[in-house]
Amino acid sequence: MPSVVSHAVVAAAAGITFAPRDVPNHFWSLSLICSVIPDADIIAFFFGIPYQHLFGHRGFFHSPFFGLLMSIFIVCVFFRDIEIFSSQWFFYFIFFFFLSASHGILDAFTNGGLGIALLFPFDNTRYFSPWRPIMVSPIGVGSFFSRWGLAVIKSELLWVWLPSCLMVIVSAVIRVVALR
Ligand SMILES: [Zn+2]
């Protein structure tokens, strides 16, 4: 995985770029949760569930299908006051779906571990992107403070933080130009 912090950076950048100004405060906490929650599946290791199992790390919980379930759950529970199928409702539904799915997709660009169950429920195969520039992050905080951890931080700054910052800057410029 890219580290949890980098997934959160993607959430913040996506929110700043795409969210309307009047989103409620819980929009931000839910965005953060969506972007990092798939990695809660590492507890599977503690229950003896093998990595390659559907419910192992990077399996079901990293699939866009899980993202779809998350998104449905969020709009039904936290945005239930919004008229269903209105443009506002579609914004939240699509935003939380893409944000949740972004986690597994980003992990598919890492250079280690097993692939991601991107096509579940149609296919349980674990997939990687053909191009994997992001150095895989160690599982566990202890091993993060090492030479490996430093290399991961450098790689994530380049391949996750930099594009996220560029997205925010470009969207801000577009907004300023559009408001002229
Ligand atoms: Zn992950």
Side-chain angles (χ1 to χ4, degrees):
M1 57 174 181
S3 64
V4 164
V5 179
S6 291
H7 285 296
V9 164
V10 172
I16 294 168
T17 304
F18 298 108
R21 290 223 174 114
D22 58 350
V23 289
N25 286 340
H26 64 275
F27 167 84
W28 297 101
S29 39
L30 289 167
S31 299
L32 196 68
I33 290 168
C34 270
S35 69
V36 302
I37 198 113
D39 277 340
D41 65 7
I42 57 167
I43 62 163
F45 289 122
F46 300 103
F47 289 107
I49 298 172
Y51 200 159
Q52 66 276 13
H53 189 276
L54 176 62
F55 291 106
H57 183 43
R58 292 184 160 184
F60 167 77
F61 294 100
H62 275 60
S63 67
F65 180 74
F66 173 72
L68 182 67
L69 298 180
M70 269 298 282
S71 166
I72 292 170
F73 172 75
I74 287 174
V75 291
C76 289
V77 173
F78 297 97
F79 296 93
R80 59 180 178 274
D81 298 339
I82 294 172
E83 190 191 337
I84 196 161
F85 301 142
S86 64
S87 57
Q88 205 182 9
W89 185 93
F90 271 115
F91 165 75
Y92 288 121
F93 175 70
I94 292 168
F95 182 85
F96 287 116
F97 167 64
F98 275 106
L99 196 54
S100 306
S102 78
H103 184 115
I105 292 167
L106 212 54
D107 279 7
F109 286 86
T110 60
N111 65 357
L114 279 187
I116 322 297
L118 290 174
L119 298 184
F120 175 81
F122 307 106
D123 173 6
N124 291 355
T125 309
R126 302 296 192 91
Y127 290 97
F128 272 122
S129 148
W131 177 60
R132 300 193 277 152
I134 305 173
M135 183 161 286
V136 75
S137 173
I139 292 171
V141 178
S143 33
F144 213 93
F145 297 100
S146 61
R147 201 176 272 227
W148 181 11
L150 196 66
V152 169
I153 291 169
K154 272 197 209 159
S155 150
E156 292 182 5
L157 283 174
L158 178 63
W159 296 110
V160 183
W161 292 54
L162 181 63
S164 299
C165 290
L166 285 176
M167 182 169 78
V168 169
I169 292 167
V170 169
S171 71
V173 170
I174 291 172
R175 253 177 235 166
V176 169
V177 171
L179 284 176
R180 270 190 185 167

